[in-house]
Amino acid sequence: MTCEKFGPRPIDYLPCRYGTSRTLYRGPRADLRGPYTLFLGGTETYGKFLRTPYPALVQERLGVTSVNLGLVNGGPDVYLHDRTATNLSLKAQATVMQVPTVQNLSNRYYSVHPRRNDRFLRASPVLRTIFRDVDFSEFHFTGHLMRHLQHQDDEMFLVLLVELRKAWVARMEDVIDRLAGPVILIWFDAHDCRNDDGPDPLKVTHDMIEALRPKVQDILYAPAPAPALSTARGDHTDGMIFSPMEASAARQMLGLQAHIDLARILSSALRDRVPGMPSRQTMPQNTPQTGR
């Protein structure tokens, strides 16, 4: 972590908009006049606590502009409500999409905010009937809601989970169908996932991913999750910039080295699978700045 006398200087993510979109994406705003690769996804794609997340590192490796439409805790709904991704994919050489979490989408049990998909808005009458003793006005985020409902009634939570998984697959198919050109999925939870209900039932399963395979160019497994990296490489937050109050959140995310590893894997996949991509690295492979 970068430290100064009065703490680290916060990262300026240079928020920007594309077209008529109301959604603020990570900047700087990309130049769309030449070839580019489009990146969709959540917190890892956005690059929280990092000056140079993997979309920017891929740009350095390939010499092709990266358009980062990642959003903190973003889910598939934001790309269905905001046509920016669809419009930008029309001229993109490829679209790379991070596999989102299961709970951050509207379904027949509850609704989420159209742009901030981790924000819980309201429970449906069906959910209120199933969990009669729950005061849904106490919840503002889907993660908090899901943890509470699981603790409240394991059996009824599984009913909800089945619906969430079906809705997730259907929503992802809708997003992919709207995108032009080749689509590559990046799956961050692949190494810590089961097809049963453990260790975390809200993680995407292999069956859910395989249901999408016919619609995409490729599915890439991302580097190991943050806890595994922390054990194998020491403090994986090296190169991340955060305040002491943000330390706990930072430790749950992929660190700079994981982004570097992912950029190498993804750059190779784009060169091999997407026509028109540079056949070799066109820019020097330098270690990205860490904010020191």
Side-chain angles (χ1 to χ4, degrees), residues 2-261:
T2 300
C3 295
E4 299 175 4
K5 183 176 181 180
F6 300 104
R9 288 177 295 180
I11 295 175
D12 184 354
Y13 296 104
L14 301 171
C16 65
R17 290 185 173 93
Y18 291 91
T20 59
S21 174
R22 296 175 58 191
T23 304
L24 284 170
Y25 295 104
R26 176 164 183 164
R29 193 177 190 280
D31 186 348
L32 304 177
R33 292 172 296 179
Y36 60 83
T37 305
L38 183 64
F39 290 83
L40 314 180
T43 305
E44 289 77 15
T45 302
Y46 183 87
K48 184 73 170 176
F49 305 132
L50 289 170
R51 292 197 188 280
T52 317
Y54 73 87
L57 296 174
V58 170
Q59 176 173 305
E60 289 184 1
R61 282 182 165 272
L62 295 179
V64 175
T65 297
S66 290
V67 181
N68 189 342
L69 297 192
L71 292 167
V72 175
N73 295 317
D77 281 14
V78 69
Y79 300 115
L80 292 178
H81 287 96
D82 186 348
R83 302 295 298 222
T84 302
T86 302
N87 295 337
L88 290 179
S89 74
L90 294 174
K91 295 184 178 180
Q93 290 185 286
T95 297
V96 178
M97 185 173 186
Q98 175 187 348
V99 172
T101 57
V102 174
Q103 74 268 20
N104 292 346
L105 52 81
S106 293
N107 53 81
R108 74 186 188 96
Y109 289 116
Y110 61 83
S111 301
V112 301
H113 192 281
R115 292 186 301 279
R116 305 187 70 173
N117 296 164
D118 63 325
R119 300 296 179 92
F120 169 74
L121 292 184
R122 66 187 66 87
S124 72
V126 177
L127 189 62
R128 293 181 184 276
T129 300
I130 295 175
F131 294 94
R132 293 182 181 275
D133 298 330
V134 174
D135 180 3
F136 289 96
S137 66
E138 297 179 355
F139 301 98
H140 302 287
F141 296 93
T142 58
H144 183 201
L145 173 66
M146 291 296 100
R147 289 191 298 272
H148 182 83
L149 296 183
Q150 185 177 16
H151 179 75
Q152 188 84 2
D153 188 327
D154 272 341
E155 185 175 343
M156 296 312 300
F157 176 78
L158 291 179
V159 174
L160 171 60
L161 182 61
V162 170
E163 169 65 20
L164 284 178
R165 288 174 173 174
K166 290 180 179 178
W168 185 93
V169 172
R171 204 67 47 80
M172 286 293 291
E173 289 177 336
D174 287 346
V175 173
I176 294 169
D177 285 343
R178 293 189 184 192
L179 299 173
V183 176
I184 295 177
L185 295 182
I186 301 178
W187 189 15
F188 285 94
D189 287 327
H191 302 282
D192 187 29
C193 164
R194 307 288 188 274
N195 272 325
D196 54 25
D197 295 318
D200 180 357
L202 289 171
K203 288 188 180 294
V204 174
T205 68
H206 284 277
D207 287 346
M208 294 163 66
I209 288 291
E210 287 304 314
L212 303 177
R213 189 175 291 277
K215 292 182 173 291
V216 300
Q217 183 84 358
D218 200 1
I219 300 172
L220 300 180
Y221 295 166
L229 286 173
S230 181
T231 301
R233 299 176 180 171
D235 186 3
H236 79 279
T237 62
D238 284 348
M240 301 175 75
I241 301 172
F242 52 88
S243 68
M245 294 183 63
E246 297 169 318
S248 178
R251 293 190 185 100
Q252 300 304 311
M253 299 180 188
L254 295 178
L256 177 61
Q257 185 58 53
H259 279 251
I260 294 172
D261 294 342

